[in-house]
Amino acid sequence: MSAIPATAERPVAEEKGRGGRIVLYVVLAVFAVAFLVPVYVAVVTSLKGTQEVATGGIWDLPLNPTFNNFGNAFDVLARGFTNSVMLTVPGVIISALLGSMNGYVLSKWKFRGSDLLFTVMLFGMFIPYQSILIPLVQFLQTIGLYATIPGLILVHVVYGIPITTLIFRNYYAGVPKELIESGTMDGAGFFGIYRSIVFPISMPGFVVVLIWQFTAIWNEFLFAVTLNSNPVSQPVTVALAGLGASQAGIDYGLQMAGAILTALPTLVVYIFLGRYFIRGLLAGSVKG
Protein backbone atom coordinates (compact mmCIF):
# COMPACT_ATOMS: atom_id res chain seq x y z
CA MET A 1 0.00 0.00 0.00
CA SER A 2 1.46 3.35 -0.98
CA ALA A 3 1.85 6.07 1.66
CA ILE A 4 -0.41 9.11 1.52
CA PRO A 5 1.60 12.14 0.37
CA ALA A 6 2.22 14.78 3.00
CA THR A 7 0.71 17.36 0.70
CA ALA A 8 -2.58 15.44 0.81
CA GLU A 9 -2.57 15.25 4.61
CA ARG A 10 -2.07 18.97 5.09
CA PRO A 11 -5.41 20.14 3.55
CA VAL A 12 -7.27 17.55 5.65
CA ALA A 13 -5.64 18.83 8.86
CA GLU A 14 -6.32 22.45 7.88
CA GLU A 15 -9.95 21.60 7.16
CA LYS A 16 -10.36 19.98 10.58
CA GLY A 17 -8.77 22.96 12.27
CA ARG A 18 -11.06 25.35 10.39
CA GLY A 19 -14.11 23.29 11.37
CA GLY A 20 -13.05 23.33 15.03
CA ARG A 21 -12.70 27.10 14.99
CA ILE A 22 -16.15 27.51 13.44
CA VAL A 23 -17.69 25.37 16.19
CA LEU A 24 -15.81 27.40 18.82
CA TYR A 25 -17.00 30.70 17.35
CA VAL A 26 -20.60 29.46 17.25
CA VAL A 27 -20.46 28.40 20.91
CA LEU A 28 -18.90 31.73 21.91
CA ALA A 29 -21.57 33.61 19.94
CA VAL A 30 -24.34 31.70 21.73
CA PHE A 31 -22.83 32.53 25.13
CA ALA A 32 -22.40 36.18 24.11
CA VAL A 33 -26.06 36.42 23.08
CA ALA A 34 -27.18 34.77 26.33
CA PHE A 35 -25.12 37.31 28.27
CA LEU A 36 -26.26 40.34 26.27
CA VAL A 37 -30.01 39.58 26.29
CA PRO A 38 -30.51 40.90 29.88
CA VAL A 39 -28.41 43.94 29.00
CA TYR A 40 -30.60 44.61 25.97
CA VAL A 41 -33.79 44.33 28.05
CA ALA A 42 -32.37 46.65 30.71
CA VAL A 43 -31.33 49.29 28.17
CA VAL A 44 -34.57 49.35 26.16
CA THR A 45 -36.69 49.35 29.33
CA SER A 46 -34.72 52.24 30.81
CA LEU A 47 -35.50 54.32 27.70
CA LYS A 48 -39.27 53.84 27.98
CA GLY A 49 -41.80 55.88 29.87
CA THR A 50 -43.95 54.36 32.59
CA GLN A 51 -46.99 53.96 30.32
CA GLU A 52 -44.99 52.35 27.53
CA VAL A 53 -43.41 49.87 29.93
CA ALA A 54 -46.83 48.89 31.26
CA THR A 55 -48.46 48.40 27.87
CA GLY A 56 -45.60 47.21 25.65
CA GLY A 57 -43.50 44.05 25.55
CA ILE A 58 -40.08 43.80 27.13
CA TRP A 59 -38.46 43.09 23.75
CA ASP A 60 -40.00 46.07 21.95
CA LEU A 61 -37.80 49.04 21.16
CA PRO A 62 -38.96 52.33 22.75
CA LEU A 63 -41.35 54.27 20.54
CA ASN A 64 -40.47 57.56 22.20
CA PRO A 65 -37.03 57.16 23.81
CA THR A 66 -36.50 59.25 26.93
CA PHE A 67 -33.60 59.75 29.30
CA ASN A 68 -35.79 61.00 32.13
CA ASN A 69 -35.42 57.70 33.96
CA PHE A 70 -31.65 58.20 34.18
CA GLY A 71 -32.00 61.69 35.59
CA ASN A 72 -34.61 60.62 38.13
CA ALA A 73 -32.59 57.56 39.12
CA PHE A 74 -29.44 59.60 39.63
CA ASP A 75 -31.29 62.09 41.82
CA VAL A 76 -32.33 59.24 44.12
CA LEU A 77 -29.00 57.41 44.03
CA ALA A 78 -26.65 60.41 44.23
CA ARG A 79 -26.03 60.08 47.96
CA GLY A 80 -25.53 56.33 47.59
CA PHE A 81 -22.96 56.89 44.84
CA THR A 82 -21.04 59.26 47.08
CA ASN A 83 -21.12 56.77 49.95
CA SER A 84 -19.95 53.95 47.66
CA VAL A 85 -17.00 56.02 46.46
CA MET A 86 -16.08 56.90 50.06
CA LEU A 87 -16.30 53.19 50.91
CA THR A 88 -14.69 51.63 47.86
CA VAL A 89 -11.64 53.83 47.28
CA PRO A 90 -10.05 53.53 50.75
CA GLY A 91 -11.17 49.91 51.07
CA VAL A 92 -9.46 48.99 47.80
CA ILE A 93 -6.25 50.90 48.53
CA ILE A 94 -5.82 49.61 52.09
CA SER A 95 -6.57 45.97 51.26
CA ALA A 96 -4.23 46.13 48.24
CA LEU A 97 -1.35 47.53 50.31
CA LEU A 98 -1.85 45.01 53.11
CA GLY A 99 -2.13 42.14 50.63
CA SER A 100 1.02 43.31 48.89
CA MET A 101 3.04 43.38 52.09
CA ASN A 102 1.63 40.03 53.22
CA GLY A 103 2.48 38.46 49.87
CA TYR A 104 5.97 39.95 50.05
CA VAL A 105 6.58 38.50 53.50
CA LEU A 106 5.11 35.06 52.77
CA SER A 107 6.97 34.62 49.48
CA LYS A 108 10.39 36.18 50.15
CA TRP A 109 10.86 36.24 53.94
CA LYS A 110 10.22 32.66 54.94
CA PHE A 111 9.98 31.98 58.66
CA ARG A 112 8.91 29.07 60.80
CA GLY A 113 5.20 28.47 60.35
CA SER A 114 4.84 30.82 57.37
CA ASP A 115 3.24 28.16 55.17
CA LEU A 116 0.79 27.25 57.95
CA LEU A 117 -0.04 30.91 58.48
CA PHE A 118 -0.69 31.34 54.77
CA THR A 119 -2.96 28.28 54.71
CA VAL A 120 -4.94 29.50 57.72
CA MET A 121 -5.24 32.94 56.14
CA LEU A 122 -6.71 31.43 52.99
CA PHE A 123 -9.51 29.85 55.00
CA GLY A 124 -10.95 33.35 55.28
CA MET A 125 -11.89 33.14 51.61
CA PHE A 126 -14.29 30.27 52.32
CA ILE A 127 -16.11 31.67 55.34
CA PRO A 128 -19.71 32.50 54.28
CA TYR A 129 -20.80 36.04 55.04
CA GLN A 130 -24.03 34.81 56.59
CA SER A 131 -22.25 32.75 59.25
CA ILE A 132 -20.56 35.74 60.88
CA LEU A 133 -23.15 38.50 60.53
CA ILE A 134 -24.38 38.44 64.14
CA PRO A 135 -20.95 38.49 65.82
CA LEU A 136 -19.79 41.04 63.25
CA VAL A 137 -22.68 43.37 64.10
CA GLN A 138 -21.92 42.96 67.80
CA PHE A 139 -18.23 43.65 67.25
CA LEU A 140 -18.87 46.81 65.22
CA GLN A 141 -21.32 48.03 67.87
CA THR A 142 -18.71 47.44 70.56
CA ILE A 143 -16.04 49.52 68.80
CA GLY A 144 -18.56 52.19 67.77
CA LEU A 145 -18.36 51.63 64.01
CA TYR A 146 -21.75 50.05 63.37
CA ALA A 147 -23.84 51.83 60.70
CA THR A 148 -20.83 53.85 59.53
CA ILE A 149 -18.74 53.89 56.38
CA PRO A 150 -15.47 53.32 58.33
CA GLY A 151 -17.06 50.17 59.77
CA LEU A 152 -17.82 48.85 56.29
CA ILE A 153 -14.31 49.75 55.15
CA LEU A 154 -12.85 47.73 58.03
CA VAL A 155 -15.02 44.71 57.17
CA HIS A 156 -14.13 44.76 53.48
CA VAL A 157 -10.42 45.22 54.19
CA VAL A 158 -10.37 42.25 56.56
CA TYR A 159 -12.41 40.08 54.22
CA GLY A 160 -10.24 41.09 51.28
CA ILE A 161 -6.89 40.23 52.88
CA PRO A 162 -6.98 36.48 52.02
CA ILE A 163 -7.55 36.93 48.28
CA THR A 164 -5.21 39.93 47.95
CA THR A 165 -2.50 38.05 49.85
CA LEU A 166 -2.93 35.03 47.58
CA ILE A 167 -2.68 37.11 44.41
CA PHE A 168 0.42 38.99 45.54
CA ARG A 169 2.14 35.90 46.97
CA ASN A 170 1.77 34.11 43.65
CA TYR A 171 2.97 37.19 41.82
CA TYR A 172 6.04 37.71 44.03
CA ALA A 173 6.92 34.02 43.75
CA GLY A 174 8.09 34.79 40.21
CA VAL A 175 10.37 37.64 41.33
CA PRO A 176 14.02 36.48 41.32
CA LYS A 177 15.54 36.08 44.76
CA GLU A 178 18.65 37.82 43.51
CA LEU A 179 16.78 41.15 43.56
CA ILE A 180 15.98 40.75 47.25
CA GLU A 181 19.52 39.58 48.02
CA SER A 182 21.02 42.54 46.18
CA GLY A 183 18.94 44.90 48.30
CA THR A 184 20.09 43.12 51.45
CA MET A 185 23.72 43.40 50.38
CA ASP A 186 23.24 47.13 49.83
CA GLY A 187 22.12 47.45 53.44
CA ALA A 188 18.39 47.88 52.82
CA GLY A 189 16.02 46.48 55.42
CA PHE A 190 12.57 44.95 55.12
CA PHE A 191 10.72 48.16 54.29
CA GLY A 192 13.61 49.53 52.26
CA ILE A 193 13.59 46.53 49.94
CA TYR A 194 9.83 46.67 49.63
CA ARG A 195 9.79 50.39 48.85
CA SER A 196 12.77 50.44 46.46
CA ILE A 197 12.58 47.05 44.73
CA VAL A 198 9.35 45.15 45.28
CA PHE A 199 6.76 47.94 45.09
CA PRO A 200 7.96 49.42 41.74
CA ILE A 201 7.62 46.04 39.99
CA SER A 202 4.22 45.26 41.56
CA MET A 203 2.00 47.27 39.23
CA PRO A 204 0.56 44.23 37.35
CA GLY A 205 -0.34 42.64 40.68
CA PHE A 206 -1.85 45.89 41.95
CA VAL A 207 -4.00 46.22 38.83
CA VAL A 208 -5.43 42.73 39.40
CA VAL A 209 -6.13 43.39 43.06
CA LEU A 210 -7.56 46.86 42.48
CA ILE A 211 -10.01 45.60 39.85
CA TRP A 212 -10.95 42.56 41.93
CA GLN A 213 -11.52 44.50 45.14
CA PHE A 214 -13.23 47.42 43.43
CA THR A 215 -15.76 45.08 41.84
CA ALA A 216 -16.29 43.10 45.05
CA ILE A 217 -16.77 46.14 47.30
CA TRP A 218 -18.80 48.24 44.87
CA ASN A 219 -21.26 45.43 44.08
CA GLU A 220 -21.53 44.00 47.62
CA PHE A 221 -25.00 44.14 49.17
CA LEU A 222 -25.25 41.84 52.21
CA PHE A 223 -22.75 43.68 54.43
CA ALA A 224 -24.03 47.01 53.16
CA VAL A 225 -27.62 46.33 54.22
CA THR A 226 -26.97 44.47 57.50
CA LEU A 227 -24.03 46.40 58.91
CA ASN A 228 -25.31 49.86 58.04
CA SER A 229 -28.88 50.69 59.05
CA ASN A 230 -28.33 54.43 58.58
CA PRO A 231 -29.84 55.55 55.22
CA VAL A 232 -27.53 58.57 55.19
CA SER A 233 -24.40 56.40 54.89
CA GLN A 234 -25.66 53.37 52.95
CA PRO A 235 -23.92 52.46 49.66
CA VAL A 236 -25.61 52.70 46.29
CA THR A 237 -26.50 48.99 46.15
CA VAL A 238 -28.83 49.41 49.13
CA ALA A 239 -30.43 52.50 47.64
CA LEU A 240 -30.89 50.64 44.35
CA ALA A 241 -32.80 47.83 46.07
CA GLY A 242 -35.67 50.16 46.94
CA LEU A 243 -35.60 52.27 43.79
CA GLY A 244 -38.85 52.55 41.85
CA ALA A 245 -40.99 50.65 44.36
CA SER A 246 -44.10 52.35 45.77
CA GLN A 247 -47.70 51.64 46.69
CA ALA A 248 -48.71 52.55 43.15
CA GLY A 249 -46.56 49.77 41.72
CA ILE A 250 -43.05 49.25 40.41
CA ASP A 251 -41.42 51.64 37.97
CA TYR A 252 -39.34 49.19 35.93
CA GLY A 253 -37.91 51.88 33.67
CA LEU A 254 -36.55 53.74 36.69
CA GLN A 255 -35.15 50.54 38.15
CA MET A 256 -33.38 49.56 34.95
CA ALA A 257 -31.89 53.04 34.60
CA GLY A 258 -30.65 52.87 38.19
CA ALA A 259 -29.15 49.43 37.60
CA ILE A 260 -27.28 50.66 34.52
CA LEU A 261 -25.95 53.71 36.35
CA THR A 262 -24.82 51.56 39.27
CA ALA A 263 -23.02 49.12 36.96
CA LEU A 264 -21.23 51.82 34.96
CA PRO A 265 -18.22 52.34 37.30
CA THR A 266 -17.22 48.67 37.28
CA LEU A 267 -17.87 48.50 33.52
CA VAL A 268 -15.60 51.48 32.90
CA VAL A 269 -12.87 49.96 35.08
CA TYR A 270 -12.95 46.70 33.12
CA ILE A 271 -13.01 48.48 29.76
CA PHE A 272 -9.88 50.50 30.49
CA LEU A 273 -7.98 48.03 32.69
CA GLY A 274 -9.30 44.65 31.53
CA ARG A 275 -6.24 43.77 29.44
CA TYR A 276 -3.93 44.58 32.35
CA PHE A 277 -6.12 42.41 34.58
CA ILE A 278 -5.48 39.36 32.38
CA ARG A 279 -1.76 40.12 32.14
CA GLY A 280 -1.48 40.43 35.90
CA LEU A 281 -3.30 37.14 36.47
CA LEU A 282 -1.01 35.35 34.01
CA ALA A 283 2.06 36.95 35.59
CA GLY A 284 1.14 35.36 38.92
CA SER A 285 0.19 31.98 37.54
CA VAL A 286 3.65 30.67 36.70
CA LYS A 287 4.80 29.87 40.22
CA GLY A 288 3.36 29.72 43.70
PDB file of all heavy atoms in Angstrom, residues 10 124 154:
ATOM      1  N   ARG A  10      -2.004  17.605   4.574  1.00  0.00           N
ATOM      2  CA  ARG A  10      -2.065  18.974   5.087  1.00  0.00           C
ATOM      3  C   ARG A  10      -3.432  19.625   4.887  1.00  0.00           C
ATOM      4  O   ARG A  10      -3.977  20.219   5.810  1.00  0.00           O
ATOM      5  CB  ARG A  10      -0.967  19.811   4.414  1.00  0.00           C
ATOM      6  CG  ARG A  10      -0.815  21.202   5.059  1.00  0.00           C
ATOM      7  CD  ARG A  10       0.356  21.952   4.463  1.00  0.00           C
ATOM      8  NE  ARG A  10       1.585  21.198   4.629  1.00  0.00           N
ATOM      9  CZ  ARG A  10       2.460  20.979   3.657  1.00  0.00           C
ATOM     10  NH1 ARG A  10       2.220  21.432   2.437  1.00  0.00           N
ATOM     11  NH2 ARG A  10       3.575  20.304   3.888  1.00  0.00           N
ATOM     12  N   GLY A 124     -10.038  32.211  55.246  1.00  0.00           N
ATOM     13  CA  GLY A 124     -10.946  33.352  55.282  1.00  0.00           C
ATOM     14  C   GLY A 124     -11.719  33.543  54.000  1.00  0.00           C
ATOM     15  O   GLY A 124     -12.797  34.150  54.001  1.00  0.00           O
ATOM     16  N   LEU A 154     -13.584  48.704  57.220  1.00  0.00           N
ATOM     17  CA  LEU A 154     -12.855  47.726  58.032  1.00  0.00           C
ATOM     18  C   LEU A 154     -13.245  46.302  57.655  1.00  0.00           C
ATOM     19  O   LEU A 154     -12.379  45.429  57.482  1.00  0.00           O
ATOM     20  CB  LEU A 154     -13.127  47.977  59.515  1.00  0.00           C
ATOM     21  CG  LEU A 154     -12.547  46.948  60.498  1.00  0.00           C
ATOM     22  CD1 LEU A 154     -11.019  46.941  60.408  1.00  0.00           C
ATOM     23  CD2 LEU A 154     -13.009  47.250  61.924  1.00  0.00           C
TER      24      LEU A 154
END
